[in-house]
Amino acid sequence: MRRYLKYIGFLVVIGLVVLWLAGVFTHKEKSGQVEREQKLITGLKIGKAEKVQEVLVGYVGNVVADNIAEISTRVAGRITSVNVKEGQMVKRGQVLLTIDASDILAQANAVGEQVKQAEYAYRSALANYEAVKKTYERYQALLKENAITQQEFDQIKAQYDSAKAQLEQAKAGISAVQFQKEAVLSALEYTTIRAPFDGYVSQKRVDVGDLATPGTPLLIIEKPPYKLEVNLPEKYLSRLHVGDTYDVYIEALNKTIQGKVSEVSPSVDPVTRTFRVKLTLSDNSLKSGMYAKLLMPEALSAVLVPENAILRRFDFTGVWVVKPDKTLELRFVKLGEKRGNMVEVLSGLSGGEDIVIEGIERACDGCKVGG
């Protein structure tokens, strides 16, 4: 009997241990009572995925200055000083650089001596002419009185004509040397290079010690305003007129400015089927060579979101969508064309959704948007 009771007690203990391990004696929450605690995110800027019926199509062009001067020289020589740097603003008449003028100064001194010689030759020819002229005039009077023969008069007349010709030649010699002197002095002016107008130095191609050669650009100076040159499809030819204004997106500055049509080519390139347009830009802080887009409106149904709203992780592109219960959902989107500061969404959004447009780095899936 005792053995039987002992066996029964052992089974009871084993049963109680099994029930304890199974959690029978542990308090349990009813289903639905445990809720996940949501993280509250504040400071996010919420906007709309915009559904539009018209989009801006960008056509690529280049920014150019309205006034561009390639500064060169007409003389050859070593550069002795460069007084400006790239990007520096300059005033009209400001000295930009100087070129060694020693050779030209030597030429100027030589020409100066030639001028003196020519003037001396002229004075000598003038004195001879005056003396021969007096003799010629006396012989004219004697010929009238038949005091000399015709042959004697002809000899004096020949001397007179020769003296007169020598005088004219000496006078022409002075003029020729004077022109040569002016040419040398003009060349001397090209050893000091000055700014032709107010602007800024866009390129500096030489340094002190370089050899300047005639016709080779040394500096390039630009002057605002700036223009956008772009080729457009022929379908726009009848739509654009001088004076029209359009948006121009400057990618390097990540901003959109106004452009006013200043020139429209009347002809279409038969190969590319495009025509050239120039627009004067409203921003003078631009630089030549900048990449820009002329934004032309076209009828097209599309969903647009700000570029700042796009979350990029490797090959993944997504947008944080704010659901009706104010929780966040990261939704995959397929992107299309960039439209200024906006990006076209081809799939993933239907338009009208609330999305996070600022602070996307702090958003998290399932988190709740606070105030």
Side-chain angles (χ1 to χ4, degrees), residues 118 121-122 125 162-176:
Y122 174 76
S162 176
K164 186 177 181 180
Q166 290 177 4
L167 179 63
E168 293 298 327
Q169 184 178 5
K171 186 185 295 183
I174 291 178
S175 297

Side-chain angles (χ1 to χ4, degrees), residues 121-342:
Y122 174 76
R123 288 194 297 269
S124 176
L126 180 60
N128 181 57
Y129 170 77
E130 293 291 344
V132 173
K133 181 181 178 182
K134 291 179 181 179
T135 302
Y136 171 72
E137 290 174 348
R138 287 199 303 270
Y139 269 59
Q140 276 186 321
L142 291 174
L143 181 63
K144 290 179 181 180
E145 297 174 357
N146 294 321
I148 58 172
T149 63
Q150 183 66 40
Q151 183 180 1
E152 291 174 324
F153 175 77
D154 290 342
Q155 291 177 349
I156 293 298
K157 185 176 184 304
Q159 294 177 12
Y160 170 76
D161 291 341
S162 176
K164 186 177 181 180
Q166 290 177 4
L167 179 63
E168 293 298 327
Q169 184 178 5
K171 186 185 295 183
I174 291 178
S175 297
V177 176
Q178 288 289 358
F179 287 135
Q180 187 177 353
K181 182 179 180 181
E182 291 176 3
V184 172
L185 294 178
S186 176
L188 188 62
E189 293 181 359
Y190 283 90
T191 61
T192 301
I193 309 299
R194 300 178 182 274
F197 49 70
D198 294 351
Y200 82 97
V201 180
S202 62
Q203 293 186 41
K204 179 177 75 72
R205 299 183 176 180
V206 292
D207 293 300
V208 174
D210 290 345
L211 178 64
T213 55
T216 302
L218 309 175
L219 302 166
I220 296 181
I221 296 180
E222 298 181 359
K223 178 183 179 181
Y226 290 90
K227 291 185 176 182
L228 173 65
E229 292 185 354
V230 59
N231 292 324
L232 293 179
E234 60 182 341
K235 65 180 180 179
Y236 292 114
L237 187 58
S238 61
R239 288 175 51 182
L240 270 78
H241 304 89
V242 173
D244 293 346
T245 57
Y246 292 92
D247 287 338
V248 174
Y249 177 69
I250 310 297
E251 184 160 347
L253 305 179
N254 193 27
K255 70 176 182 179
T256 302
I257 62 175
Q258 285 288 307
K260 188 174 184 179
V261 178
S262 58
E263 295 180 41
V264 178
S265 174
S267 60
V268 176
D269 188 316
V271 177
T272 62
R273 311 308 304 174
T274 61
F275 65 100
R276 181 168 290 271
V277 179
K278 293 184 180 181
L279 297 93
T280 301
L281 304 178
S282 59
D283 193 332
N284 288 336
S285 65
L286 305 173
K287 298 292 183 292
S288 287
M290 277 186 170
Y291 172 89
K293 286 183 179 180
L294 172 59
L295 304 179
M296 297 295 297
E298 286 190 3
L300 178 66
S301 179
V303 177
L304 301 180
V305 299
E307 188 175 12
N308 293 336
I310 304 297
L311 177 66
R312 291 180 170 88
R313 291 177 180 169
F314 302 103
D315 293 334
F316 175 84
T317 53
V319 173
W320 288 106
V321 175
V322 183
K323 297 192 294 186
D325 62 355
K326 298 299 182 181
T327 58
L328 294 174
E329 175 191 355
L330 182 58
R331 188 175 299 177
F332 171 77
V333 293
K334 184 178 180 181
L335 303 180
E337 293 281 336
K338 187 175 180 181
R339 315 286 185 183
N341 296 325
M342 307 289 281

Side-chain angles (χ1 to χ4, degrees), residues 347-367:
S347 64
L349 296 174
S350 58
E353 293 95 339
D354 289 332
I355 60 173
V356 179
I357 60 175
E358 285 186 14
I360 61 173
E361 68 283 351
R362 294 188 290 110
C364 55
D365 198 34
C367 297

